[in-house]
Amino acid sequence: MGSPLTRPFRVHPPGVDGVLLRPDVLRRLLARFEARLTIVRAGAGFGKTTALAQAVEQNRLAPRGHDHWIGCEPADARREHLLGGVGESLGIVGEVTVTAIAEAVAAYSPAQVCLVFDDVHEIGGGSPGADALGELLAALPSNGHLLCAGRTTPPLNVARLDAHGAVVRIDEGDLTLSPPDLAALADAAGRAASDVAHLGGWPALVALGLRSGPVPDFLNEEVLTSLDDDQRTLLAITVALGGASSGMLQALTGIEPSRPLGDLPMVQHQDGWYRAHDLWNEVFDQAMILECRRERLRPAVRHLLDTGERVRAVDIAVRGHESDLTIAALRAAVIDGRVEDPDVLKRWHQSMDGAVGNHPIALHVRGLLEQSIDPTTDRCRAAFADAAAGFAALGDTAAQVNSVAELGFWHHIQRDAPGLLGVAGTMMELAGAGEPSATPYIDIINAFAALAQGDPEAMLTAVGRARGNRMTGRFEAIADWLEFQAQEFLGNSNVELADRYLAGAGAIRGTEVIAISARWRAGRIEELLADPGAWGARTGSERARFLTHAWLAAVTAGVGDLDTAREHMTMARALAGERGAPQVEITLALPAVLIVHEEGDHERAEAEMRDLIERIPVSDSTRLSYNGSGSLIARYEPEALADLRVPLPARDLDLGLALRSLDATGDLDAIRTVAWPTSPGELISSLFLRTTCEFVAAGWAAGRPEARATAEWLLDVIGEPARARFRDHTEHHVAVVAAAAKELLASVPLPPDEVRRLKLLGTEQLLLDDRETDSDDWRRERVRSLLGYLVVHPDTTRDAVMTALWPEADEDAARRNLRSTLNLLLGVLEAGRTGGDAAYFVRADTNRIRLAGRDRLDVDVWRFDELLDEAERLEADGAPTLALDRLVDAVGLYRGDLLSGVQEGAWLFVERQRLHVRFVAASVRTAELLLAHGRTDEAVAVATRTIGAEPWSEPAHRAVVAGHLQRGDRAAARRAMQHCRDVLDELGGPVEELTEMLERRLAAG
């Protein structure tokens, strides 16, 4: 045996009870039983030892091979000490040599063996211990593997193994805590994740931070002392300046670091920028930090400005308290770089004093901050006006343009036309004096003029010209809004453009409704229906709430939810304020007409639409307000469109005129030839629900292939209101349309509102919305048997069902039985289904039967299999502890044989056996893992239940015996072992080796 062992955990890993399990790391470490060499390299505090100890512990629960632990120490630089540690771990008696170790590993064959060396950096490179480690790597038999974990790359020559793909590397990126890991650790410590989010995911630092440990001491003792002079210089500059980029450090020092700063604890690295945590200030000498800042500040700021890193340049300049440098950096960031982030501006503004605070750039920053809080205040206007005057006095016309533009935005949202004209005059003067940055703002003013004239093409041209030059963020957003309005004129709704505008710095209060209108016109109905309350919550001003409720009235009426539409109309009328403005009257009248239309009163809807158009004609000035009603106008009052310079959207008009032709002639020619919208949602936004269903039925009658898919979408997404409209159209005045509506109802199923919960393991329960069905037909054995067969065979043939359920009947009798039982089953599953409507859950045609609607079926058999499949995947990933929860849930679902109240058929016997075998295997594994986790009582209970289901399960008997031993009840263990022997003697044959091991343990006691 080698030298005496001094290190704690020398040949056994430390305990890791209660430490967060990290499946991703465990999965990576499983490679140690496949690769010849696994290298885990990471700096201090990355949790290497913890990860390895967890991997060893999890492997003990679900062995892939045998782990043998060697915790390295400085004495392992001596050959005999290192080999002695390996021999101790392997249990070698006598002299320990490389050959003896290789033979001990080979004795485990065919089982795999991994020698786990922790803190291998303690073995100095070029030492006798390092030589011994290299010899060991070369001498190990084929079932032997090495894992070397340390702060540095192990002292091994691995080029040949690398060439053969026999080396796995795990580094700091793999070991850094992920956000979910961080949240779990903080929760376990009773802290918020935000308390330690700044620690960069280093496990040791997070652990220290969660218990308020001495992080600076750790940094000094474990990190700083390990750095060379160049690394300390680069880190000191980063600490002194508050951050540094790789390029900046290179430009300032000419040093090529031997190790990236981002590898160090408490040094964040993102997009090439290093930021040292303030804790590092407590580690370095303060006089040295001040001198470093004085020498490096100006060249650092110049470098960052030259490379376009303006925000970082300002941050560093502000930290240095040099006014001229800070002013230059601020101007470059705010004027040239268009930095407008309120949090950044607030940070800068709070640091401005003296010469910086009195400079026009400070006034401009103040205006931007006021604007971010409330762009309508006089404080906002005054700040930009004073900044513009200050820049003018300095002769800085480019900066003056920026302040004047922000002043123009203030006048714009105030609807202050004289103020806007004044800004336009200033911009023209500046452009005339040769300042090119004023030009795009003149183009924006021209785009507004085109909007007032109803000329979308001129709007797009002016906006395009403006976008050819840089503008402030506000005017970039205004350009988006103008482009959106122009596209709406042309019938092209651009959701992304609307969202970009609303997210931009220049979004105007009261325009939030375009988030709804854009989605409606684009046919993105599901988004609007997914969370209806969210759209109303976006609005703030009274005008915005009025427009939102009016639009939501149209949307909800358009999808058949008339009660909600009426509620929105009531709110819209209350918020409309002073009536009389044409746009307000149209905005209120159109949803009201639509509600009447959806109620099915076409004559009244037509009369109300005619009255509205007579009072407020469709013209260039009112056209946008009528934009969404083109199909109704085309069907009821097409003459009203004659004088428009730019017509309403072509899609709406074409569809409306096709239906008008159907009304007039009764033939389907126009329906056959009209362009079908690209999505069902676009069809609804053009025609609304009632007319959409009419158009789809007419399209089906006309042989349009798009009709079937659209009907399915309507019944799936819109649901019962769509089915009700189709039922209304079964009385359509055109007979072929009525027939088509009936055919669609009979062939397209409607999803039910309630989930069906089906319990078939040990019982036969059907619950609708957690209420057990009281249907008499469910008590029929053949109905339950048919549903059970379909659960097991979700896509099958009629012949297969008949053979399985009526094997003795002739074909005609079997077909009659199937038809009758299928009708009874449909009545049980969908009691509310109207005669003639298609079934949702069971889809049957001439040859096949399919159990559908899995999203609305919760079946214990399916869940049982899913849980066990997931547990198997987790075990395969090396995380049996995480698999245990799934196993416990799955075993709890198995209450007995499948369809226990149904007489056996051949198909049922086979499936019962499959599920029974899976249950027994899962129960045994559950008991084994519960024992490994010290949950002894649960383990004995599960194993005892398993024996009840499968008396000859030797592993289940073993689990009961082991549980009693774990409790210290040897008498109960002996009784359980005798019971096991009695049962197994009935079978005959030898017992398994593990059972004999238990018997030997009992005999020894």
Side-chain angles (χ1 to χ4, degrees):
M1 187 65 64
S3 306
L5 307 178
T6 58
R7 169 185 162 137
F9 311 117
R10 171 67 164 168
V11 295
H12 298 290
V16 287
D17 289 344
V19 179
L20 176 72
L21 276 172
R22 302 174 62 195
D24 291 343
V25 177
L26 293 173
R27 188 179 302 119
R28 293 277 288 144
L29 288 169
L30 280 177
R32 68 189 184 279
F33 290 116
E34 306 297 330
R36 182 68 161 179
L37 174 65
T38 301
I39 296 173
V40 181
R41 189 206 64 78
F46 273 88
K48 299 181 294 299
T49 299
T50 298
L52 295 182
Q54 285 182 333
V56 170
E57 173 65 14
Q58 292 295 301
N59 182 60
R60 185 182 67 81
L61 299 175
R64 298 293 187 91
H66 299 277
D67 286 307
H68 292 275
W69 183 278
I70 304 97
C72 298
E73 53 195 9
D76 283 320
R78 303 200 314 270
R79 178 186 184 88
E80 66 276 9
H81 194 85
L82 177 73
L83 294 179
V86 180
E88 176 76 9
S89 182
L90 284 166
I92 297 174
V93 177
E95 185 182 2
V96 181
T97 64
V98 170
T99 301
I101 292 171
E103 289 175 351
V105 171
Y108 283 93
S109 184
Q112 306 300 299
V113 175
C114 184
L115 303 180
V116 180
F117 289 87
D118 188 32
D119 285 343
V120 76
H121 58 268
E122 298 282 12
I123 306 172
S127 68
D131 293 342
L133 188 65
E135 292 172 27
L136 188 57
L137 178 60
L140 282 176
S142 60
N143 68 316
H145 311 268
L146 242 61
L147 185 153
C148 294
R151 299 179 188 177
T152 59
T153 301
L156 294 168
N157 185 353
V158 298
R160 183 178 59 82
L161 291 175
D162 261 330
H164 289 86
V167 181
V168 169
R169 286 180 169 80
I170 297 172
D171 58 22
E172 292 168 351
D174 300 303
L175 296 173
T176 299
L177 292 170
S178 66
D181 291 340
L182 201 63
L185 279 172
D187 184 63
R191 301 277 295 278
S194 58
D195 292 346
V196 287
H198 63 285
L199 296 178
W202 276 268
L205 298 185
V206 169
L208 285 170
L210 288 173
R211 62 174 186 267
S212 300
V215 176
D217 290 350
F218 174 86
L219 294 174
N220 185 42
E221 296 168 10
E222 297 288 336
V223 182
L224 193 62
T225 57
S226 69
L227 302 182
D228 60 31
D229 290 342
D230 284 350
Q231 290 170 330
R232 277 194 290 272
T233 297
L234 297 178
L235 180 58
I237 293 172
T238 304
V239 172
L241 298 182
S245 66
S246 302
M248 187 185 92
L249 290 172
Q250 177 73 24
L252 294 179
T253 66
I255 294 174
E256 282 281 356
S258 58
R259 178 185 179 189
L261 287 181
D263 288 353
L264 301 179
M266 306 304 294
V267 179
Q268 296 178 338
H269 181 224
Q270 186 174 7
D271 299 330
W273 184 258
Y274 298 110
R275 186 178 300 281
H277 194 276
D278 288 343
L279 287 167
W280 277 109
N281 281 299
E282 301 177 33
V283 179
F284 281 99
D285 177 75
Q286 290 305 298
M288 185 268 286
I289 290 293
L290 290 172
E291 177 64 22
C292 182
R293 185 179 301 154
R294 188 163 47 250
E295 288 182 10
R296 310 288 188 175
L297 179 66
R298 285 184 174 273
V301 172
R302 281 196 299 271
H303 173 83
L304 291 170
L305 289 176
D306 290 344
T307 55
E309 297 182 85
R310 297 184 178 94
V311 173
R312 290 165 176 167
V314 175
D315 286 337
I316 289 179
V318 167
R319 192 182 181 97
H321 300 290
E322 296 194 16
S323 299
D324 62 325
L325 190 65
T326 302
I327 289 169
L330 275 169
R331 190 197 178 287
V334 177
I335 303 300
D336 299 332
R338 311 293 194 202
V339 174
E340 296 165 346
D341 184 325
D343 291 334
V344 174
L345 296 173
K346 184 176 182 181
R347 182 173 76 237
W348 292 344
H349 188 260
Q350 289 172 342
S351 67
M352 293 178 187
D353 54 18
V356 178
N358 295 320
H359 195 273
I361 192 65
L363 296 171
H364 189 85
V365 169
R366 186 185 308 159
L368 291 174
L369 274 176
E370 291 287 349
Q371 190 181 70
S372 69
I373 298 166
D374 184 351
T376 65
T377 65
D378 281 337
R379 292 189 303 276
C380 179
R381 179 197 57 75
F384 287 128
D386 291 346
F391 285 129
L394 293 173
D396 189 347
T397 55
Q400 182 187 357
V401 165
N402 274 259
S403 296
V404 171
E406 301 298 356
L407 192 59
F409 178 70
W410 186 89
H411 289 294
H412 166 61
I413 60 177
Q414 298 284 2
R415 301 296 192 266
D416 178 7
L420 273 174
L421 287 173
V423 167
T426 302
M427 289 294 190
M428 288 178 181
E429 289 175 9
L430 288 166
E435 179 51 59
S437 62
T439 304
Y441 301 102
I442 299 170
D443 290 323
I444 290 294
I445 293 167
N446 290 333
F448 272 110
L451 173 63
Q453 297 164 3
D455 189 343
E457 298 295 346
M459 289 172 67
L460 290 174
T461 298
V463 168
R465 278 199 311 267
R467 285 212 171 107
N469 300 276
R470 294 188 69 202
M471 295 178 284
T472 71
R474 254 69 53 202
F475 280 82
E476 290 283 359
I478 289 173
D480 287 340
W481 183 78
L482 287 164
E483 182 181 346
F484 178 82
Q485 297 299 328
Q487 295 291 356
E488 284 285 285
F489 262 115
L490 300 172
N492 306 317
S493 197
N494 188 323
V495 174
E496 288 69 30
L497 184 60
D499 288 348
R500 190 173 79 196
Y501 160 71
L502 290 173
I508 306 165
R509 293 178 67 192
T511 62
E512 297 91 342
V513 73
I514 70 170
I516 302 172
S517 64
R519 282 167 174 78
W520 175 258
R521 292 298 300 155
R524 288 161 63 164
I525 309 300
E526 288 108 325
E527 290 182 45
L528 294 172
L529 298 181
D531 187 8
W535 303 102
R538 294 177 173 220
T539 59
S541 67
E542 189 168 289
R543 177 176 181 272
R545 293 199 300 276
F546 159 66
L547 290 171
T548 295
H549 282 295
W551 258 100
L552 288 175
V555 168
T556 51
V559 296
D561 185 358
L562 299 184
D563 289 340
T564 303
R566 295 184 189 98
E567 291 173 6
H568 282 300
M569 280 303 303
T570 299
M571 294 298 298
R573 291 188 180 105
L575 292 164
E578 189 173 337
R579 305 284 289 273
Q583 286 79 6
V584 173
E585 293 299 321
I586 297 169
T587 301
L588 283 172
L590 286 177
V593 171
L594 181 54
I595 290 172
V596 174
H597 170 80
E598 285 297 320
E599 289 171 338
D601 191 343
H602 295 294
E603 291 184 4
R604 181 181 160 201
E606 183 175 356
E608 290 188 7
M609 177 65 81
R610 185 180 302 115
D611 176 67
L612 173 63
I613 292 174
E614 286 177 356
R615 286 189 294 113
I616 309 174
V618 184
S619 65
D620 291 335
S621 63
T622 63
R623 180 197 174 287
L624 269 181
S625 299
Y626 278 111
N627 217 35
S629 57
S631 66
L632 294 176
I633 297 174
R635 192 172 192 182
Y636 295 145
E637 290 290 315
E639 297 82 6
L641 304 172
D643 296 329
L644 279 181
R645 182 170 51 164
V646 179
L648 293 177
R651 184 182 78 204
D652 299 355
L653 298 181
D654 291 344
L655 293 169
L657 292 172
L659 287 164
R660 181 177 178 84
S661 174
L662 178 68
D663 291 338
T665 66
D667 69 49
L668 302 170
D669 287 346
I671 302 295
R672 286 191 187 93
T673 56
V674 70
W676 198 286
T678 56
S679 73
E682 289 180 354
L683 192 57
I684 279 200
S685 70
S686 287
L687 295 177
F688 314 106
L689 182 58
R690 178 171 294 278
T691 308
T692 292
C693 293
E694 178 186 12
F695 180 79
V696 169
W700 187 246
R704 297 293 299 260
E706 305 94 336
R708 169 70 187 223
T710 305
E712 290 178 351
W713 183 91
L714 289 166
L715 293 170
D716 185 40
V717 174
I718 307 301
E720 181 54 39
R723 187 171 290 276
R725 302 298 187 274
F726 277 120
R727 287 197 194 103
D728 289 348
H729 292 311
T730 61
E731 304 295 328
H732 199 277
H733 65 278
V734 178
V736 290
V737 175
K742 292 177 183 176
E743 188 176 340
L744 287 170
L745 284 171
S747 61
V748 179
L750 172 69
D753 294 330
E754 299 171 328
V755 171
R756 272 62 171 156
R757 305 187 191 282
L758 192 57
K759 299 181 179 181
L760 300 180
L761 294 172
T763 183
E764 293 118 32
Q765 267 189 316
L766 175 63
L767 295 92
L768 281 66
D769 199 22
D770 294 326
R771 299 185 308 278
E772 189 169 358
T773 181
D774 57 0
S775 168
D776 290 338
D777 290 333
W778 181 242
R779 299 188 180 93
R780 297 173 183 262
E781 182 177 314
R782 280 298 175 217
V783 171
R784 302 195 306 276
S785 184
L786 174 57
L787 182 53
Y789 185 87
L790 292 175
V791 164
V792 176
H793 307 91
D795 192 348
T796 186
T797 64
R798 286 180 178 269
D799 288 343
V801 177
M802 291 187 296
T803 301
L805 270 62
W806 296 279
E808 306 299 330
D810 62 48
E811 185 175 346
D812 289 341
R815 288 193 181 281
R816 288 195 300 274
N817 289 339
L818 175 57
R819 185 165 53 250
S820 172
T821 306
L822 189 57
N823 285 333
L824 294 173
L825 176 59
L826 293 176
V828 169
L829 285 176
E830 301 178 54
R833 189 169 59 92
T834 302
D837 287 357
Y840 181 76
F841 287 111
V842 181
R843 316 283 176 89
D845 57 27
T846 305
N847 298 313
R848 302 197 69 80
I849 300 178
R850 182 166 62 91
L851 186 62
R854 194 156 181 152
D855 58 326
R856 287 174 171 82
L857 272 177
D858 182 356
V859 183
D860 57 356
V861 177
W862 293 346
R863 183 64 180 147
F864 176 78
D865 279 327
E866 288 165 0
L867 284 167
L868 292 186
D869 290 344
E870 189 175 353
E872 288 172 3
R873 284 193 295 272
L874 285 168
E875 292 232 49
D877 287 341
T881 296
L882 299 179
L884 179 56
D885 289 341
R886 279 68 168 183
L887 288 167
V888 169
D889 289 345
V891 168
L893 284 174
Y894 191 93
R895 293 170 296 275
D897 283 341
L898 175 66
L899 291 168
S900 56
V902 173
Q903 293 180 0
E904 289 191 17
W907 75 271
L908 186 53
F909 175 78
V910 170
E911 188 59 18
R912 280 176 176 169
Q913 286 299 109
R914 183 188 74 82
L915 293 169
H916 177 81
V917 168
R918 268 205 114 175
F919 163 71
V920 171
S923 294
V924 167
R925 187 62 180 139
T926 304
E928 291 171 348
L929 289 174
L930 288 170
L931 284 171
H933 284 79
R935 295 162 62 178
T936 311
D937 292 344
E938 294 174 72
V940 171
V942 170
T944 302
R945 182 185 168 204
T946 309
I947 293 170
E950 184 59 74
W952 299 280
S953 172
E954 194 169 342
H957 283 285
R958 280 201 302 270
V960 173
V961 174
H964 289 314
L965 282 173
Q966 199 159 296
R967 286 170 169 165
D969 190 346
R970 302 187 73 83
R974 289 191 182 96
R975 288 193 299 272
M977 179 57 76
Q978 186 58 53
H979 177 52
C980 173
R981 272 294 189 180
D982 292 342
V983 171
L984 296 179
D985 285 347
E986 295 178 16
L987 291 177
V991 298
E992 296 173 3
E993 180 183 355
L994 290 174
T995 307
E996 291 180 340
M997 289 173 61
L998 273 176
E999 288 186 304
R1000 285 194 291 272
R1001 284 179 63 191
L1002 283 169

